[in-house]
Amino acid sequence: MTRPPQVLLPAAGGGTRAYTPREAPPRTTVGGPPLTSRTVFSAAHVVADPYADVSPDGPAAVDWDATLAFRRHLWAHGLGVAEAMDTAQRGMGLDWAGAAELIRRSAAEAKASGGRLACGVGTDQLALPASLPQVRDAYEEQLALVESVGAQPILMASRALAAAATSPDDYVETYGHLLRQATEPVILHWLGPMFDPALEGYWGSADLDTATDTFLEVIAAHPDKVDGIKVSLLAADREIALRRRLPDGVRCYTGDDFNYPELIAGDDHGFSHALLGIFDPLAPVAAEAVRVLDTGDVKGFRALLDPTVELSRHLFQAPTRYYKTGVVLLAWLAGHQTHFTMVGGLQSARSLPHLARAYELADGLGLFPDPPLAAARMRSLLTVHGVPQ
């Protein structure tokens, strides 16, 4: 048999190096029994409309058909969808008007597909600076929309609140007000500054121990209104310590895209559920791994998921907030969309060597249903950027 043609990838220091793509598609199955041992959400990306004549700083033009098809792909594997979150370029190309439309459409699709849906609630309709009452009103507006479509709310960290708050008490009062209003338990989201520099000092302090105490104070005052917390600090030890201090019945959803296998597997004192951006490209592997974990086979779970960490750490390397570019590249290479275009022009946010390495790692993991298609698309991207094939 003839070997598949090589892909010439950019080499360090200039020139190219040859990479031979895998020949066979991965052996993955769609569907299966519901996940039982862990609650797992994938934060999903949006697909841009490549035909729209828009500027990077204008309203997002979304390909709704492709965007919703990707959500059906996640649900088909048994994952929940975390909608209108950071992975959907919330605040980095997708404004509140676009996010609101995304929430409405995804909620209707979830009802038709029987998929689980949680949606981000923030304050991104505000112009900065904003007052604390304005922050509260903005949160209320978004919370009302998410509850009205029947989705679970995720109270996201707010740039406006970070700018307006002058003490930890401002966070306690703002979140307390929102939790008292919520009709069902919500997920609280602590997004670290590596994902959004504007969130430095969230919960009223740059000292993470002090911030953690404030965060836990909010939860302890309203444990019946908090389904769980989503922690995105990329620090496994800190997440473990935090989840051990949670009130009974409040879950920890890891958002740690560096250490997720060990955090989901857990220890003698507990484990984390998952709400992860990396599960966007890893959906088939993630679902298979959790089903193995459902049988009690922790070793088998780790054997499936541990090899994916190198890719995840690559995609989420600093500046971490640009991880979405690699996520969308992999969706294009996997055939989930017809182009590598992003809202806000964010396809330009990562270097060509970074994207080439993402392709190589993902291909090695067997993430592409059609490896020749992925290789052909990668060659076209490289050629456009001046790397001859």
Side-chain angles (χ1 to χ4, degrees):
M1 294 180 63
T2 59
R3 293 178 62 83
Q6 294 178 323
V7 179
L8 296 180
L9 302 177
T16 60
R17 57 185 178 87
Y19 173 73
T20 302
R22 67 184 293 128
E23 299 180 43
R27 290 179 293 179
T28 58
T29 58
V30 178
L35 308 183
T36 57
S37 63
R38 304 290 187 272
T39 300
V40 181
F41 290 97
S42 168
H45 74 281
V46 294
V47 182
D49 178 357
Y51 294 96
D53 185 10
V54 294
S55 64
D57 57 353
V62 177
D63 181 337
W64 294 113
D65 289 342
T67 294
L68 296 175
F70 190 78
R71 279 127 184 87
R72 291 193 295 272
H73 155 74
L74 296 174
W75 286 320
H77 283 286
L79 305 183
V81 170
E83 189 57 275
M85 301 290 291
D86 189 56
T87 307
Q89 295 180 242
R90 190 80 180 266
M92 290 185 68
L94 188 72
D95 61 12
W96 167 236
E101 183 66 13
L102 179 62
I103 289 167
R104 294 186 190 98
R105 289 175 181 257
S106 290
E109 200 70 29
K111 290 175 183 176
S113 302
R116 183 167 186 167
L117 183 71
C119 297
V121 171
T123 64
D124 45 332
Q125 70 270 54
L126 292 175
L128 299 181
S131 66
L132 287 173
Q134 289 174 320
V135 170
R136 186 185 65 190
D137 291 346
Y139 264 130
E140 288 177 345
E141 177 189 355
Q142 296 197 16
L143 177 62
L145 172 63
V146 171
E147 291 189 330
S148 73
V149 299
Q152 182 177 20
I154 303 171
L155 294 186
M156 300 193 301
S158 162
R159 293 173 181 172
L161 180 54
T166 60
S167 70
D169 288 343
D170 289 337
Y171 289 88
V172 172
E173 292 173 7
T174 300
Y175 277 92
H177 175 84
L178 295 169
L179 290 172
R180 285 190 294 273
Q181 282 197 223
T183 58
E184 299 291 339
V186 309
I187 298 173
L188 297 181
H189 186 191
W190 185 357
L191 190 69
M194 68 288 293
F195 289 92
D196 187 344
L199 300 177
E200 182 71 42
Y202 211 74
W203 302 109
S205 178
D207 178 79
L208 290 179
D209 291 333
T210 303
T212 297
D213 289 341
T214 302
F215 188 40
L216 288 167
E217 180 183 346
V218 170
I219 298 165
H222 309 276
D224 59 321
K225 289 296 186 72
V226 180
D227 164 69
I229 61 169
K230 193 247 179 170
V231 187
S232 300
L233 298 177
L234 303 184
D237 290 346
R238 185 166 291 279
E239 178 176 321
I240 291 168
L242 175 56
R243 79 185 182 200
R244 290 179 182 175
R245 296 175 64 188
L246 292 174
D248 290 343
V250 176
R251 310 185 216 198
C252 180
Y253 292 91
T254 187
D256 188 334
D257 300 277
F258 283 5
N259 305 291
Y260 50 94
E262 64 183 271
L263 291 166
I264 297 170
D267 54 31
D268 292 340
H269 301 282
F271 57 82
S272 295
H273 300 271
L275 198 165
L276 288 160
I278 192 57
F279 280 4
D280 179 302
L282 291 184
V285 177
E288 182 181 358
V290 175
R291 287 192 174 93
V292 169
L293 186 61
D294 289 345
T295 69
D297 184 359
V298 177
K299 185 176 180 180
F301 166 81
R302 295 294 297 266
L304 285 167
L305 217 51
D306 281 0
T308 69
V309 172
E310 184 179 5
L311 171 64
S312 188
R313 291 190 175 205
H314 176 74
L315 295 183
F316 284 79
Q317 68 183 216
T320 301
R321 62 190 179 278
Y322 295 125
Y323 76 87
K324 299 94 165 171
T325 302
V327 166
V328 174
L329 170 81
L330 298 184
W332 172 54
L333 296 178
H336 293 298
Q337 55 193 77
T338 59
H339 58 85
F340 180 41
T341 305
M342 299 175 66
V343 299
L346 208 63
Q347 67 272 11
S348 65
R350 289 295 200 187
S351 69
L352 189 64
H354 177 92
L355 299 178
R357 181 60 177 159
Y359 159 70
E360 185 178 18
L361 290 170
D363 183 67
L365 290 169
L367 294 184
F368 302 132
D370 186 343
L373 173 67
R377 288 184 169 183
M378 193 66 209
R379 287 191 197 94
S380 71
L381 179 66
L382 292 161
T383 299
V384 167
H385 285 82
V387 180
Q389 298 296 303

